[in-house]
Amino acid sequence: MLDLFDRRPIFLKSPKNRWRTGPLPPCKLVLPFIHPAMITFCNPHHALHQGQFEMFRGALVPCHEVPARADQVLAELQRRRLGEVRHPQPFAAAALESIHSPRYLRFLETAWSQWVAIDPANAAHDALPSVWPTRGFRADVEPDNFAARMGLYSFDAGSPLTSGTWVAARAGAECALSAAEQVAQGARAAFALTRPPGHHAGADFFGGYCFLNNAAFAAQHLRNSGRERVAILDVDYHHGNGTQAIFYDRPDVFFASLHGDPRTEYPFFLGHADETGHGAGQGTNLNLPMPRGTVYADWSGALDVALAAIRRFGAQALVVSLGVDTFVGDPISGFALRSDDYLRMGERLEAVGLPTVLVFEGGYAVDAVGVNAVNVLQAFA
Ligand code: 6XA
Ligand code: ZN
């Protein structure tokens, strides 16, 4: 039996040391005020985005990015009674347009109805792109053909667009914005618990399971709320190519990322150490790629480097892209962090001393994702 008042952190010794809970309703439970330091904004619509298959090595395989991921994090938050869980507040479309192009947003919002309008039978399966405008093609002309538009606005075939993608992604953006608003109002920290994740999504493209860039919304909202210099620290296993691209020429938003070396790891085509920013943003981008098999002792050395750079930048607020697919048991990633390492990580993030928005990203070892993510939050809180 679970002790609801037990707030001790959990240590999973190995991915085989499993625990399970039953199926959970989406964000139904709003706990009474328990912990002043961490408020969670949970996406009530995340489960509407439920892809069936993603393309992997020439075959359609079941999606790794599943609703149970967020359910497990919520269950663990509630089990440890780690602060209040709220639904997000609504935001105007302008907040979305501060990060994404109107053309892309219009496409995402209407894509499912266009897909089904081609053939009503399409309603039974998700839409995946299969053709892309690579070097030498034009991206300025939006094709009439739906498949061509899917390719124009994406960079992989691993991110199925479903009937509920827009509603889920939009509510996720509102979670990130609500968490940022909470911090802008003076909270020490807030957590956006949402999926689909966001850090691969660029101003006008989706990919890597991401459609709207939640961390970017949070950073921009903090800027709009008067924080003049904002840092984004991306600790997900995969490089946050979308976030980097969005802020690459901005002097006011620093982006630092710790990730698997793109020479061997997804997203492959961005995330190298020599990408340091452009134009007015020169010097505001820091990539720290690491080899497969990296353990916490080495990973935390890179964290030191990133945090020192964030301090030097003079950030007044911090956004953390909190992916926990750095876990040793993650099925699609290659680092070797253990569950108790996430406690150390949370302590280190807290010690930066900045108002902080944490945004949930990757993490696919479903049985451990709640423990790992909440270990960061608990140590932070
Ligand atoms: C390729 C792998 C997608 C990685 C998604 C992720 N299908 N990004 O976790 O952080
Ligand atoms: Zn990831």
Side-chain angles (χ1 to χ4, degrees):
M1 186 124 103
L2 289 176
D3 173 2
L4 288 179
F5 294 89
D6 181 2
R7 284 172 39 199
R8 284 173 301 171
I10 300 283
F11 302 91
L12 280 186
K13 287 210 183 75
S14 80
K16 291 190 195 75
N17 182 1
R18 291 177 170 193
W19 62 276
R20 283 185 182 280
T21 61
L24 292 157
C27 309
K28 238 176 157 175
L29 214 146
V30 178
L31 286 175
F33 187 73
I34 296 168
H35 201 295
M38 185 67 71
I39 297 172
T40 293
F41 291 90
C42 173
N43 183 345
H45 302 307
H46 78 83
L48 294 178
H49 174 71
Q50 190 158 5
Q52 297 167 31
F53 300 105
E54 59 183 84
M55 181 65 79
F56 179 69
R57 294 185 188 155
L60 288 173
V61 301
C63 287
H64 289 100
E65 204 289 288
V66 293
R69 300 174 57 246
D71 293 342
Q72 291 286 21
V73 178
L74 179 65
E76 188 61 19
L77 274 171
Q78 293 176 334
R79 199 193 72 74
R80 295 192 216 176
R81 297 174 64 99
L82 196 74
E84 193 181 353
V85 179
R86 295 186 193 167
H87 287 168
Q89 63 190 84
F91 283 83
L96 302 188
E97 289 172 10
S98 70
I99 296 300
H100 296 284
S101 75
R103 188 174 87 153
Y104 174 63
L105 291 169
R106 202 166 44 242
F107 170 75
L108 267 192
E109 185 171 6
T110 57
W112 184 256
S113 55
Q114 292 176 43
W115 172 237
V116 175
I118 296 168
D119 180 349
N122 282 349
H125 54 101
D126 305 331
L128 281 175
S130 56
V131 58
W132 291 272
T134 186
R135 291 162 295 283
F137 283 96
R138 286 181 64 173
D140 58 320
V141 182
E142 192 183 52
D144 293 336
N145 179 283
F146 179 78
R149 279 205 305 287
M150 282 288 280
L152 178 64
Y153 293 121
S154 69
F155 69 93
D156 74 7
S159 313
L161 196 151
T162 79
S163 60
T165 297
W166 170 252
V167 172
R170 190 186 161 120
E174 290 177 341
C175 287
L177 288 161
S178 296
E181 174 62 16
Q182 194 70 26
V183 166
Q185 300 277 337
R188 170 74 171 84
F191 177 47
L193 174 52
T194 187
R195 51 166 296 282
H199 71 152
H200 294 300
D204 63 357
F205 57 82
F206 66 89
Y209 314 152
C210 302
F211 296 86
L212 296 177
N213 196 309
N214 303 314
F217 291 128
Q220 187 60 48
H221 191 75
L222 289 163
R223 283 288 297 107
N224 297 348
S225 309
R227 311 275 172 167
E228 296 198 338
R229 291 164 92 77
V230 174
I232 303 173
L233 173 65
D234 191 323
V235 297
D236 188 281
Y237 179 74
H238 305 94
H239 176 251
N241 61 288
T243 316
Q244 171 170 312
I246 287 165
F247 296 110
Y248 204 59
D249 56 6
R250 294 259 303 257
D252 54 334
V253 178
F254 188 88
F255 178 71
S257 179
L258 282 62
H259 51 267
D261 190 332
R263 287 177 192 278
T264 57
E265 306 309 301
Y266 187 93
F268 306 118
F269 309 112
L270 209 66
H272 298 280
D274 64 354
E275 297 156 15
T276 55
H278 177 256
Q282 183 58 246
T284 64
N285 199 88
L286 175 65
N287 282 330
L288 298 162
M290 284 167 274
R292 288 183 78 83
T294 295
V295 297
Y296 184 73
D298 298 322
W299 189 93
S300 66
L303 181 63
D304 284 339
V305 173
L307 295 181
I310 286 168
R311 275 191 211 98
R312 277 198 305 277
F313 173 71
Q316 295 160 353
L318 178 65
V319 176
V320 179
S321 266
L322 180 59
V324 291
D325 42 11
T326 45
F327 180 54
V328 64
D330 196 273
I332 66 167
S333 309
F335 287 171
L337 273 61
R338 312 242 158 212
S339 289
D340 53 345
D341 293 332
Y342 294 97
L343 294 164
R344 310 286 93 74
M345 188 190 300
E347 287 163 6
R348 302 284 292 285
L349 297 176
E350 195 279 334
V352 178
L354 290 173
T356 300
V357 178
L358 299 111
V359 180
F360 189 48
E361 303 278 4
Y364 308 97
V366 175
D367 292 335
V369 71
V371 165
N372 294 342
V374 177
N375 274 357
V376 177
L377 303 177
Q378 178 165 339
F380 193 108

